[in-house]
């Protein structure tokens, strides 16, 4: 047997992020200004983003240098481990070789710190004093709170109300890093007040919390907005994951036939996958890339490929993406980080062009896979990450069926230590599957803006 954990040294942390826009056969259609419905240029974004991030949003330069200060902070936990899941292979009795890249080793517990740090850095450079954001499950809010603390920025987090109530420890984590955490919808913003006037008991959604955070940022000179997924610059920052994984696989004398990631807004999937899409597009490789999403929020597998807003109030630019419509209210599944109505325009375009695949899995299957993984590899995965595990187990069992010894690499985007309520519910038989009626989707898609 060869090594279980494949390490790189700090010196081997990549020096550049990989920008897939340099190599895609078709770029996504440009974002549209929500008022004029005309293509939105950099000036439309300056009220809420610093220019460096706006340029990363639009540039087609292939390699973007990672600033030294950012690389120094990455050293707190990077390079992240790549692990050969020998024990899982054995339990599944599969000829497949399974590797996973573990992002839960970051101090925030997920991959989100990979982009929180550069976002805080570029805002600090631009003289910004305060960042506003939203958080659903609390992973992104935790990562941004930490990054803001590292750079001496204030941080305000609009946290979806249901999570605010259900995940007090995530809230405390953000408060340890001095972030102000507000349950959304709140009375702090016009968007929040309007929602509360209509539905005083609203438990919130990511789309609502985004409206509040954007309004906060747009209304204050000293404040910008930060988004934890979906946008091109976020996908860019996450490519550190796949570049490291590639170097580690090389050390293990392996190369993946299949790369699998869970997909909410697309950032961990892109981060791991895009450096391999690069190999497919420029080096004649034929890696299969599979984005795995919940059946309860099936953006990529059942959504429309269309222009839509990123938020409920219609304040963000319209993005060209797979979407379920901003009115879509996903069931209260436990993978809170995968409950967004839209998806990354880059991931959406690649799927539309047949360069990646998508698949939806059900909640009970996800928890079964999570436990199989925990009991063999010892790590309790975030329920989001368990989607990638389910996708991997399905492929590994297909290998067993066919006798093919494929190499599978999946992204373990975070640990589940703050998700014990979800596991408790599963262990006591209280987790349900939601089959989403076509009618509910059709209704939600009626809210798509006419472009
Ligand atoms: C936020 C989150 C996700 C989903 O977001 P992506 O942008 O699709 O990666 C997945 N896993 C974990 C652990 C998360 O925190």
């Amino acid at each position: 047997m060869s090594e279980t954990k494949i390490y790189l040294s700090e010196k081997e942390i990549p020096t550049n992020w990989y920008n897939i826009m340099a190599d895609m056969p078709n770029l996504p259609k440009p974002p549209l200004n929500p008022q004029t419905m005309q293509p939105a240029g950099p000036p439309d974004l300056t009220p809420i983003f610093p220019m460096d991030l706006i340029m990363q949003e639009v540039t087609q330069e292939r390699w973007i240098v990672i600033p030294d200060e950012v690389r120094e902070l990455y050293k707190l936990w990077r390079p992240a481990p790549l692990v050969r899941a020998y024990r899982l292979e054995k339990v599944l009795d599969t000829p497949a070789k399974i590797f996973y890249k573990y992002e839960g080793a970051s101090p925030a517990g997920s991959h989100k710190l990979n982009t929180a740090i550069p976002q805080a850095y570029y805002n600090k450079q631009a003289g910004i004093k305060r960042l506003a954001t939203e958080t659903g499950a609390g992973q992104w809010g935790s990562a941004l709170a930490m990054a803001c603390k590292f750079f001496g920025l204030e941080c305000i987090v609009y946290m979806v109300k249901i999570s605010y109530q259900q995940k007090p420890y995530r809230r405390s984590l953000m408060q340890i890093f001095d972030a102000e955490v507000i349950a959304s919808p709140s009375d702090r913003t016009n968007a929040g007040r309007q929602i509360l006037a209509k539905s005083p008991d609203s438990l919130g959604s990511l789309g609502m919390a985004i409206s509040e955070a954007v309004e906060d940022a747009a209304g204050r000179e000293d404040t910008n907005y930060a988004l934890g997924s979906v946008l091109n610059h976020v996908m860019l920052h996450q490519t550190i994951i796949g570049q490291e994984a590639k170097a580690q696989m090389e050390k293990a004398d392996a190369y993946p036939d299949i790369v699998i990631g869970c997909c909410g807004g697309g950032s961990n999937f892109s981060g791991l996958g895009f450096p391999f899409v690069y190999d497919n597009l420029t080096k004649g490789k034929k890696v299969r890339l599979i984005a795995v999403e919940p059946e309860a929020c099936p953006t990529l597998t059942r959504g429309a490929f269309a222009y839509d807003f990123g938020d409920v109030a219609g304040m963000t630019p319209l993005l060209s993406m797979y979407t379920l419509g901003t009115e879509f209210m996903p069931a209260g599944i436990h993978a809170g980080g995968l409950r967004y109505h839209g998806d990354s325009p880059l991931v959406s375009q690649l799927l539309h062009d047949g360069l990646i695949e998508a698949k939806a899995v059900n909640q009970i299957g996800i928890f079964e896979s999570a436990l199989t993984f925990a009991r063999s590899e010892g790590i309790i995965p975030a329920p989001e990450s368990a989607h990638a595990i389910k996708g991997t187990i399905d492929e590994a069992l297909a290998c067993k069926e066919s006798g093919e010894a494929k190499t599978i690499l999946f992204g373990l985007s975070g640990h589940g230590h703050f998700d014990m309520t979800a596991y408790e519910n599963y262990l006591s038989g209280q987790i349900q599957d939601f089959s989403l009626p076509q009618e509910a989707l059709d209704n939600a898609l009626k809210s798509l803006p006419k472009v």
Side-chain angles (χ1 to χ4, degrees):
M1 254 194 203
S2 42
E3 284 167 353
T4 300
K5 267 156 96 190
I6 300 110
Y7 288 107
L8 298 175
S9 71
E10 284 181 5
K11 282 202 286 288
E12 293 169 285
I13 293 175
T15 51
N16 292 270
W17 291 300
Y18 167 58
N19 177 14
I20 199 165
M21 287 189 279
D23 297 305
M24 289 170 79
N26 300 305
L27 290 174
K29 284 187 278 180
L32 302 180
N33 176 305
Q35 272 103 44
T36 63
M37 296 284 183
Q38 295 303 307
D44 294 288
L45 300 173
T46 49
I48 56 169
F49 292 121
M51 197 42 91
D52 283 321
L53 291 178
I54 294 173
M55 292 322 288
Q56 291 180 2
E57 197 57 28
V58 297
T59 181
Q60 288 180 47
E61 214 173 297
R62 182 174 289 112
W63 301 105
I64 308 292
V65 174
I66 303 176
D68 285 342
E69 268 184 79
V70 171
R71 252 180 114 246
E72 279 307 309
L73 278 164
Y74 277 167
K75 288 180 187 171
L76 287 176
W77 78 100
R78 305 208 73 86
L82 180 84
V83 185
R84 172 84 185 267
Y86 283 115
R87 292 174 50 86
L88 178 65
E89 291 169 16
K90 208 162 171 192
V91 166
L92 299 176
D93 190 24
T94 172
K97 295 192 184 86
I98 303 175
F99 292 85
Y100 63 91
K101 179 76 169 159
Y102 186 41
E103 291 294 318
S106 98
S110 79
H111 65 291
K112 297 234 167 57
L113 203 54
N114 296 331
T115 184
I117 286 175
Q119 290 195 46
Y121 168 82
Y122 289 117
N123 275 291
K124 175 80 178 185
Q125 293 294 101
I128 288 295
K129 300 275 182 281
R130 181 173 171 273
L131 286 181
T133 197
E134 73 291 326
T135 197
Q139 295 269 22
W140 169 241
S142 310
L144 192 70
M146 210 174 273
C148 282
K149 194 79 222 163
F150 292 157
F151 287 103
L153 299 172
E154 285 175 50
C155 182
I156 179 162
V157 183
Y158 292 88
M159 185 172 190
V160 175
K161 197 171 277 172
I162 179 98
S163 307
Y164 185 91
Q165 291 165 357
Q166 285 180 346
K167 298 202 163 188
Y169 294 147
R170 272 281 164 205
R171 205 199 312 157
S172 305
L173 203 160
M174 291 183 256
Q175 287 163 342
I176 286 173
F177 291 93
D178 278 339
E180 187 183 359
V181 187
I182 310 281
S184 165
S186 77
D187 59 8
R188 288 283 193 101
T189 63
N190 285 327
R193 285 188 291 269
Q194 272 170 25
I195 294 160
L196 287 174
K198 262 200 271 173
S199 359
D201 301 325
S202 171
L203 291 173
S205 72
L206 263 185
M208 292 176 190
I210 294 176
S211 297
E212 292 209 271
V214 169
E215 183 183 325
D216 183 316
R220 282 179 59 156
E221 199 60 28
D222 67 346
T223 301
N224 266 346
Y225 169 69
L227 188 61
S229 188
V230 179
L231 297 178
N232 302 347
H233 66 266
V234 181
M235 306 300 125
L236 175 79
H237 300 155
Q238 294 293 357
T239 59
I240 185 123
I241 304 173
Q243 293 184 72
E244 282 182 7
K246 223 196 262 187
Q248 286 161 309
M249 296 285 286
E250 207 174 300
K251 280 198 176 176
D253 210 13
Y255 188 85
D257 299 298
I258 309 175
V259 173
I260 299 176
C262 68
C263 194
S267 73
N268 87 87
F269 170 75
S270 302
L272 181 65
F274 283 3
F276 293 98
V277 178
Y278 170 72
D279 285 0
N280 285 354
L281 292 172
T282 67
K283 297 182 178 165
K285 297 279 190 189
K286 294 202 164 60
V287 185
R288 279 179 66 204
L289 292 111
I290 309 175
V292 186
E293 63 183 11
E295 277 181 359
C297 190
T299 314
L300 294 173
T301 50
R302 290 171 74 189
F305 186 61
Y307 269 115
D308 198 3
F309 294 105
D311 68 324
V312 166
M315 297 170 62
T316 68
L318 289 90
L319 300 176
S320 164
M321 61 185 174
Y322 280 95
T323 176
L324 298 167
T326 54
E327 307 269 294
F328 180 75
M329 261 297 163
I333 54 166
H334 287 284
L338 307 182
R339 290 179 73 228
Y340 186 58
H341 68 273
D343 220 304
S344 145
L346 294 174
V347 170
S348 297
Q349 188 68 45
L350 290 170
L351 179 67
H352 190 68
D353 291 342
L355 297 171
I356 60 168
E357 304 166 35
K359 129 176 202 170
V361 293
N362 70 47
Q363 195 166 228
I364 290 180
I366 290 153
F367 277 94
E368 281 168 4
S369 303
L371 263 68
T372 302
F373 181 78
R375 288 168 179 168
S376 49
E377 297 293 320
I379 296 173
I380 298 165
E384 290 85 358
S385 318
H387 289 67
I389 298 174
K390 167 80 173 124
T392 300
I393 290 180
D394 289 350
E395 291 299 328
L397 292 178
C399 284
K400 181 175 172 179
E401 206 59 27
S402 66
E404 287 171 287
K406 288 187 184 157
T407 300
I408 305 172
L409 165 64
F410 78 89
L412 190 61
S413 51
H415 67 64
H417 294 178
F418 289 100
D419 301 283
M420 284 304 148
T421 315
Y423 281 99
E424 198 181 303
N425 288 349
Y426 175 73
L427 292 172
S428 59
Q430 292 176 58
I431 295 257
Q432 292 157 3
D433 273 338
F434 297 91
S435 67
L436 189 62
Q438 187 57 39
E439 210 186 315
L441 280 185
D442 292 343
N443 277 337
L445 287 173
K446 282 187 196 141
S447 69
L448 284 186
K450 305 266 175 298
V451 176

